[in-house]
């Protein structure tokens, strides 16, 4: 009997088809998902995985160095270290495994005081050691060590080599290579501390330049960072090197500046002297510049600051902060802070009511400590930012009579006057459009003087007269052409633009006072740039501090070529002005305190009123005294400007508070630059000569040598050999009355003499008094004018010193050298 075939229902077939279809769809979804994950999103998930297993460390480039023009290092880098810990590796080392077979170590540690700490966990050990080695709070390190999932927690930056070595030894001793890390780093270091601080600037904690050349050329100096990428497995073990990637850092380029360390040093010495001696309340500044190329050889502001520690205030600023600490002003400032915050938090409350005042008072008292500290902090940063400002380029002043050089150049170029034309000065001059006569500094009047003398004596009416002859439009155009209408373009940050009238507001009265440098404001760098255009034959050049950019092998990447903007006046006009200015300096002009023996110097002084600021009495305008000079006047190379802002030491005139310091600077700079002095017959009579070290010489030979130098020898003792002398070797003595005391047989100065006070005395009187006291005299400053008197002496009056000691005196002309 045949078997019946089992019949499959259509219903079962449909169900099977449906299941297969579902599986097919699921398979397609899985395939598409795999394609999406492994192909479309491959790079993304590769990056996610790599981020989980890799550690990327930034490799810092070496910041480029800054040099002076002679290759002396102004800014370099010093190796320091950064210490960080890996909290996850610390936690892993202290965590038992699942089967309990992992040994958890504890440690004994003897601290720096000899105390032994027993049974320390790893985090305690690490925190204790790093705390005492790096002077970081123990609790903060413990807190960082407890952060799960973290493999980088910074403990301290800028660790010195000595401490870094202690950490290395600790890591090796306790086998903590996965828990504690040291990374070599570098910080900026300035070998000369304060030298050229306002020019060089400094970097912040991240190594980014924030002031001076460091900021202006930051993108050239900083280089490009590199990267080091390493991989670790799940147990924090380093994986094969094939997973490592290293991208080299590109070091920054080096900068060679135009700054000359020697000239910079001498400039800073003179600025410090005028700041101290003339009690400048608003700082002093100066610039030394090559007149032909615009290269800045020196630029400084006093007080300066330490580039290695720029957040420490200078002595004067700190004194101001100390005075503020317990002052009523601080209380008032704290109240103002409270009022402002109360207004901000209660904008709908009327501020002109007694209720408001009472609420502010209550608010201030409730938060007194906070506002009091904030006031102090605000004042500190106010003083700090003021200290950092490069006064030569960021602050404006009225240049006063130094601008009479520029007006004269306009007048000669236009032919509206000549050096021999006679002008009359009655002490003032009436100008159309102004109610009162405009005064000359010589209120009694200069009388009749040729224009050359009028410029030398700084006569305002003469300058106003030629200014009016030039006319508004031409004067204004010349004013702009000399650069006052634009930035100089110096390669330092923060240059301020001159402040002057629009032409439509430039009246006849404006023209009159502009002619002698008043009612407009400019910067010291702008003023010396204009003066350089007279010194170099009429060309306006761009001042600059960059000489060249070089790599570490000395290859020049880029160099600065002198940039001549335009010629404003002829070289003949400039030569005539130079002769007039030099004649005034070497003669009886107002700038004669700029004189330097043996050299031809063209100079001009200026004193201006701050018409928007008065002194504490509210009666007298504050003043700015300044002086400009360039030399040698017959073939100029360098120009100098010194600006003394708000002198409070007595005289306010540029001829007293600036010109003598310009003279002292040039007396050092010109020989250094290779210029030999050419003395007049009168100067040769009083020239100083140096002395040798006569120790060990036979007495007669030493006496002969001293006599041949035009000096007097005095022997103390009966020996045949010299065993000591006063003054010491190398000093300069005046041939007229210099004396050398020679000691024999080991004898020493048996007696001392008391230094007399010769301040205010003439050169002749000071020389006589000091010589009669048994002392040597060294005279500096202007010593061949009848009105010159001693301004300073090197040894305090009343001091007991050995016979023959040198007393250096500085002479200054103080009468008839005022300027406006």
């Amino acid at each position: 009997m045949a078997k019946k075939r089992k019949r499959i229902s259509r219903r079962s077939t449909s169900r099977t088809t449906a299941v297969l279809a579902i599986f097919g769809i699921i398979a397609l979804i899985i395939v598409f998902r795999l394609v999406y994950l492994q192909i479309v999103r491959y790079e993304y998930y590769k990056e996610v995985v790599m981020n989980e297993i890799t550690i990327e460390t930034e490799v810092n480039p070496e910041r480029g160095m800054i040099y002076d023009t002679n290759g002396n290092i102004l800014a370099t880098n010093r190796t320091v270290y950064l210490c960080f810990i890996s909290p996850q590796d610390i936690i892993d080392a202290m965590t038992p495994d699942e089967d309990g077979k992992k040994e958890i170590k504890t440690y004994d540690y003897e601290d720096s005081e000899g105390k032994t700490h027993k049974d320390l966990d790893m985090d305690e050990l690490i925190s204790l050691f790093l705390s005492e080695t790096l002077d970081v709070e123990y609790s903060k390190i413990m807190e960082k060590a407890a952060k799960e999932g973290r493999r980088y927690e910074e403990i301290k930056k800028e660790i010195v080599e000595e401490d870094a070595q202690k950490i290395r030894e600790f890591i090796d001793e306790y086998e903590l290579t996965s828990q504690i890390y040291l990374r070599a780093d570098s910080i900026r270091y300035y070998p000369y501390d304060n030298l050229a601080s306002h020019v060089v600037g400094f970097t912040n904690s991240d190594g980014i330049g924030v002031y001076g050349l460091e900021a202006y050329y930051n993108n050239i100096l900083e280089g490009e960072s590199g990267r080091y990428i390493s991989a670790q497995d799940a147990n924090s073990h380093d994986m094969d090197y094939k997973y490592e990637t290293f991208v080299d850092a590109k070091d920054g380029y080096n900068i060679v500046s135009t700054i000359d360390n020697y000239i910079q040093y001498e400039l800073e010495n003179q600025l410090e002297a005028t700041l101290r001696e003339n009690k400048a309340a608003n700082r002093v500044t100066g610039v030394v510049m090559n007149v032909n190329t615009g290269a800045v050889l020196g630029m400084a502001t006093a007080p300066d600051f330490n580039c290695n520690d720029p957040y420490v205030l200078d002595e004067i600023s700190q004194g101001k902060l100390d005075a503020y600490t317990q002052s009523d002003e601080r209380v008032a400032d704290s109240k103002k802070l409270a009022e402002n915050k109360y207004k901000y938090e209660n904008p709908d409350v009327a501020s002109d009511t007694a209720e408001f005042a009472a609420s502010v008072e209550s608010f201030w008292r409730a938060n007194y400590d906070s506002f009091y500290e904030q006031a102090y902090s605000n004042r500190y940063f106010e003083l700090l930012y003021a200290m950092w400002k490069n006064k030569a380029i960021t602050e404006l002043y009225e240049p006063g009579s130094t601008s009479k050089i520029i007006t004269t150049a306009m007048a000669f170029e236009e032919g509206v006057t000549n050096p021999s034309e006679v002008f009359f000065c009655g002490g003032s001059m009436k100008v159309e459009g102004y109610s009162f006569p405009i005064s000359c500094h010589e209120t009694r009047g200069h009388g009749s003087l040729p224009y050359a003398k009028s410029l030398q004596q700084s006569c305002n009416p003469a300058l106003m007269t030629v200014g009016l002859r030039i006319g508004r439009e031409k004067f204004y155009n010349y004013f702009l052409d000399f650069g006052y209408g634009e930035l100089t373009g110096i390669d330092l940050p923060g240059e301020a633009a001159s402040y002057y009238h629009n032409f439509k507001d430039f009246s006849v009265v404006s023209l009159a006072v502009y002619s002698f440098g008043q009612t407009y404001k400019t910067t010291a760098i702008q003023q010396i740039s204009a003066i350089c255009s007279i010194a170099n034959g009429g060309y306006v050049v761009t001042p600059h501090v960059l000489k060249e950019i070089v790599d570490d092998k000395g290859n020049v990447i880029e160099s600065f070529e002198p940039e001549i903007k335009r010629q404003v006046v002829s070289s003949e006009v400039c030569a005539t002005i130079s002769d007039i200015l030099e004649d005034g300096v070497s003669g009886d002009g107002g700038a004669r305190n700029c004189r330097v023996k043996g050299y031809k110097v063209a100079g001009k002084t200026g004193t201006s009123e701050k018409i928007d600021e008065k002194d504490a009495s509210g009666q007298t305008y504050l003043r700015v005294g300044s002086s400009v000079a360039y030399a040698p006047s017959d073939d100029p190379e360098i120009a100098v400007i010194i600006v003394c802002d708000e002198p409070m030491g007595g005289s306010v005139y540029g001829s007293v508070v600036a010109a003598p310091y310009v003279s002292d600077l040039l007396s050092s700079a010109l020989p250094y630059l290779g210029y030999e002095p050419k003395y007049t017959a009168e100067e040769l009579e009083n020239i100083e000569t140096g002395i040798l070290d006569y120790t060990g010489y036979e007495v007669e030979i030493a006496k002969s040598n001293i006599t041949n130098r035009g000096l007097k020898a005095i022997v103390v003792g009966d020996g045949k050999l010299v065993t000591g002398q006063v003054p010491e070797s190398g000093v300069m003595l005046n041939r007229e009355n210099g004396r050398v005391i020679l000691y024999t047989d080991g004898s020493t100065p048996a007696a001392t003499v008391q230094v007399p006070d010769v301040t205010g005395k003439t050169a002749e009187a000071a020389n006589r008094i000091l010589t009669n006291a048994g002392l040597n005299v060294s005279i500096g400053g202007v010593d061949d004018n009848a009105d010159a008197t001693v301004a300073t002496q090197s040894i305090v009056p009343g001091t007991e010193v050995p016979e023959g000691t040198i007393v250096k005196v500085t002479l200054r002309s103080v009468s008839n050298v005022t300027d406006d």
Side-chain angles (χ1 to χ4, degrees):
M1 182 174 170
K3 292 183 179 178
K4 290 184 179 179
R5 296 180 61 185
K6 198 169 184 178
R7 191 174 176 184
I8 300 174
S9 69
R10 290 182 179 178
R11 191 172 185 180
S12 296
T13 302
S14 298
R15 188 183 305 117
T16 301
T17 302
V19 170
L20 290 174
I22 290 171
F23 277 110
I25 292 171
I26 291 173
L28 282 174
I29 290 173
I30 291 172
V31 169
F32 279 120
R33 186 61 177 169
L34 288 173
V35 169
Y36 176 75
L37 293 176
Q38 295 187 7
I39 298 176
V40 178
R41 297 282 283 170
Y42 171 78
E43 291 297 332
Y44 169 76
Y45 285 105
K46 177 184 176 182
E47 183 178 349
V48 171
V49 171
M50 292 302 294
N51 285 341
E52 289 293 325
I53 68 170
T54 61
I55 297 176
E56 180 174 321
T57 304
E58 183 175 300
V59 180
N60 294 328
E62 191 79 358
R63 189 173 178 85
M65 295 196 286
I66 301 176
Y67 298 92
D68 87 329
T69 191
N70 298 312
N72 298 302
I73 298 174
L74 297 175
T76 184
N77 305 300
R78 186 167 60 184
T79 300
V80 291
Y81 297 87
L82 179 147
C83 177
F84 66 94
I85 60 174
S86 173
Q88 187 59 56
D89 285 299
I90 296 173
I91 293 170
D92 290 345
M94 297 190 301
T95 304
D97 55 15
E98 293 181 1
D99 56 14
K101 294 181 179 180
K102 179 180 177 181
E103 181 183 355
I104 307 300
K105 287 186 179 181
T106 58
Y107 305 85
D108 294 343
Y109 174 70
E110 183 178 318
D111 63 25
S112 58
E113 296 179 355
K115 181 180 178 181
T116 300
H117 303 261
K118 292 185 173 293
D119 299 325
L120 297 174
D121 289 332
M122 182 180 287
D123 58 348
E124 295 173 328
L125 171 71
I126 291 172
S127 298
L128 186 61
F129 169 76
L130 293 180
S131 174
E132 67 170 2
T133 303
L134 302 179
D135 194 25
V136 179
E137 286 186 26
Y138 173 85
S139 59
K140 289 185 177 180
I141 301 175
M142 284 291 289
E143 181 181 339
K144 291 183 176 184
K147 293 184 177 181
E148 292 189 32
R150 294 282 296 170
R151 298 191 183 277
Y152 181 95
E153 282 294 322
E154 184 180 296
I155 302 301
K156 190 175 182 178
K157 293 180 178 179
E158 299 184 13
I159 300 169
V160 298
E161 174 61 34
E162 181 182 356
D163 290 337
Q165 183 58 30
K166 291 178 183 178
I167 295 172
R168 294 188 195 99
E169 293 171 358
F170 178 79
I171 291 172
D172 291 342
E173 181 180 353
Y174 291 95
E175 299 179 350
L176 299 171
T177 53
S178 297
Q179 288 78 25
I180 304 176
Y181 295 86
L182 275 176
R183 188 178 74 193
D185 205 348
S186 65
I187 59 171
R188 210 57 166 162
Y189 176 66
Y190 305 91
Y192 296 98
D193 290 331
N194 297 55
L195 188 73
S197 56
H198 290 94
V199 176
V200 175
F202 57 93
T203 60
N204 63 16
S205 59
D206 295 321
I208 298 171
V210 290
Y211 275 88
L213 289 171
E214 292 277 30
Y216 195 90
Y217 289 110
N218 184 70
N219 61 328
I220 291 171
L221 292 164
E222 67 179 352
E224 297 178 9
S225 297
R227 291 180 301 158
Y228 172 66
I229 303 172
S230 60
Q232 291 184 337
D233 60 21
N235 295 316
S236 300
H237 296 133
D238 289 337
M239 295 175 66
D240 193 85
Y241 69 90
K242 68 181 179 180
Y243 294 102
E244 295 180 345
T245 303
F246 185 79
V247 180
D248 283 325
K250 183 179 179 182
D251 292 342
Y253 288 125
N254 305 312
I255 283 178
V256 180
S257 74
T258 59
I259 295 296
D260 186 301
N261 268 15
Y262 178 83
I263 291 177
Q264 179 72 28
Y265 177 79
E266 293 298 330
L267 172 62
E268 292 187 12
N269 281 344
Q270 296 308 318
L271 294 184
E272 176 61 32
T274 187
L275 175 74
R276 180 182 65 256
E277 294 170 9
N278 298 292
K279 298 179 173 59
N282 195 28
R283 305 196 297 167
V284 298
T285 191
V287 181
V288 182
M289 197 159 90
N290 184 298
V291 302
N292 299 304
T293 67
V296 175
L297 307 180
M299 175 184 285
T301 298
D304 53 26
F305 60 88
N306 188 338
C307 295
N308 289 312
D309 206 356
Y311 292 90
V312 174
L313 294 174
D314 64 81
E315 186 178 346
I316 293 175
S317 299
Q318 186 60 52
K320 292 178 180 178
L321 185 62
D322 292 342
Y324 179 76
T325 301
Q326 300 296 330
S327 67
D328 293 338
E329 184 183 5
R330 182 180 179 184
V331 175
D333 288 346
S334 68
K335 286 185 176 181
K336 188 64 179 177
L337 289 169
E339 180 181 340
N340 291 339
K341 186 170 184 180
Y342 187 83
K343 282 182 180 179
Y344 177 79
E345 294 179 352
N346 301 275
D348 299 328
V349 178
S351 59
D352 56 352
T353 64
E355 180 182 354
F356 174 83
S359 297
V360 169
E361 179 74 14
S362 177
F363 182 61
W364 171 67
R365 291 187 180 281
N367 300 276
Y368 175 82
D369 289 343
S370 174
F371 291 123
Y372 201 58
E373 284 304 311
Q374 187 179 345
Y376 181 87
S377 178
N378 290 351
R379 179 55 57 92
Y380 163 74
F381 282 106
E382 177 186 318
L383 291 167
L384 190 69
Y385 295 145
M387 179 183 75
W388 288 342
K389 288 176 66 177
N390 185 343
K391 190 177 180 70
I393 67 171
T394 65
E395 295 184 17
L396 302 175
Y397 79 110
E398 293 186 36
S401 292
T402 59
S403 283
K404 290 175 180 175
I405 299 173
I406 306 303
T407 302
T408 299
M410 302 178 193
F412 286 0
E413 186 72 14
E414 289 298 314
V416 300
T417 190
N418 59 70
S420 59
E421 182 183 0
V422 176
F423 290 79
F424 177 78
C425 171
S428 64
M429 177 176 166
K430 189 73 174 66
V431 176
E432 182 182 352
Y434 195 64
S435 304
F436 305 98
I438 298 175
S439 298
C440 183
H441 70 87
E442 183 57 72
T443 56
R444 294 172 300 178
H446 288 101
S448 295
L449 291 174
Y451 185 80
K453 281 288 185 183
S454 298
L455 177 60
Q456 293 167 6
Q457 298 297 331
S458 207
C459 176
N460 286 352
L463 269 294
M464 286 190 282
T465 300
V466 299
L468 294 172
R469 289 181 186 178
I470 295 167
R472 287 176 59 247
E473 185 172 354
K474 284 185 177 179
F475 186 101
Y476 197 84
N477 288 336
Y478 271 114
F479 180 82
L480 298 181
D481 285 345
F482 273 109
Y484 293 105
E486 61 190 0
L487 297 177
T488 67
I490 189 170
D491 48 342
L492 287 172
E495 182 182 4
S498 297
Y499 181 80
Y500 59 98
H501 292 82
N502 291 320
F503 182 70
K504 65 182 180 64
D505 299 320
F506 187 65
S507 65
V508 172
V509 176
S510 299
L511 170 59
V513 291
Y514 270 47
S515 71
F516 57 86
Q518 297 274 188
T519 69
Y520 69 90
K521 294 183 178 182
T522 191
T523 59
I525 190 64
Q526 183 71 267
Q527 188 67 2
I528 195 61
S529 296
I531 298 302
C532 281
S533 70
I534 305 301
N536 67 24
Y539 298 93
V540 176
V541 297
T542 301
H544 61 98
V545 188
L546 176 68
K547 179 180 179 181
E548 56 192 16
I549 300 170
V550 299
D551 62 19
D552 288 336
K553 296 180 179 178
N555 300 311
V556 177
I557 307 302
E558 184 179 347
S559 60
F560 185 96
E561 298 299 327
E563 180 183 347
I564 298 175
K565 295 180 179 179
R566 54 191 166 268
Q567 185 176 15
V568 185
V569 293
S570 69
S571 57
E572 293 78 15
V573 162
C574 295
T576 300
I577 294 174
S578 295
D579 288 342
I580 293 172
L581 295 176
E582 192 281 327
D583 187 53
V585 170
S586 61
D588 63 349
R592 60 182 176 272
N593 276 336
C594 289
R595 187 179 311 167
V596 181
K597 289 180 183 179
Y599 297 96
K600 290 185 175 182
V601 176
K604 187 75 185 76
T605 59
T607 307
S608 59
E609 292 180 335
K610 294 180 139 183
I611 58 175
D612 49 355
E613 295 182 55
K614 292 186 177 182
D615 63 11
S617 70
Q619 303 298 314
T620 305
Y621 290 115
L622 295 170
R623 302 292 188 96
V624 178
S626 64
S627 180
V628 297
Y630 53 88
S633 63
D634 51 357
D635 186 17
E637 179 177 350
I638 63 168
V640 183
I641 186 171
I642 287 180
V643 180
C644 182
D645 199 347
E646 299 178 18
M648 299 294 182
S651 177
V652 297
Y653 295 108
S655 53
V656 176
V657 302
Y661 308 95
V662 168
S663 171
D664 288 347
L665 174 60
L666 288 174
S667 67
S668 299
L670 290 171
Y672 169 75
L673 293 172
Y675 291 96
E676 294 290 337
K678 298 177 181 178
Y679 296 107
T680 64
E682 184 179 358
E683 288 172 338
L684 281 172
E685 289 180 6
N686 297 315
I687 197 169
E688 295 180 334
T689 184
I691 61 173
L692 303 177
D693 181 358
Y694 298 107
T695 305
Y697 275 55
E698 291 183 9
V699 171
E700 291 305 317
I701 295 176
K703 284 176 62 178
S704 177
N705 183 280
I706 292 168
T707 303
N708 290 339
R709 293 171 183 267
L711 305 172
K712 183 179 181 180
I714 300 173
V715 180
V716 178
D718 300 321
K720 293 183 179 181
L721 295 178
V722 177
T723 56
Q725 69 185 69
V726 175
E728 61 187 11
S729 62
V731 301
M732 305 296 289
L733 297 178
N734 192 295
R735 287 178 175 173
E736 180 183 357
N737 51 29
R739 62 179 70 187
V740 180
I741 316 298
L742 300 175
Y743 296 96
T744 66
D745 291 336
S747 55
T748 56
T752 59
V753 297
Q754 191 176 81
V755 177
D757 185 357
V758 294
T759 53
K761 304 293 184 183
T762 64
E764 182 181 358
N767 198 4
R768 183 179 64 254
I769 293 169
L770 291 170
T771 301
N772 290 342
L775 299 166
N776 279 302
V777 186
S778 176
I779 297 177
V782 180
D783 62 356
D784 55 356
N785 284 326
D787 66 341
T789 59
V790 176
T792 62
Q793 63 183 79
S794 61
I795 301 178
V796 177
T799 304
E800 295 285 339
V801 297
E803 182 181 3
T805 298
I806 298 176
V807 178
K808 297 178 181 179
V809 298
T810 302
L811 295 169
R812 307 234 173 104
S813 289
V814 293
S815 64
N816 196 32
V817 290
T818 56
D819 39 59
D820 189 39

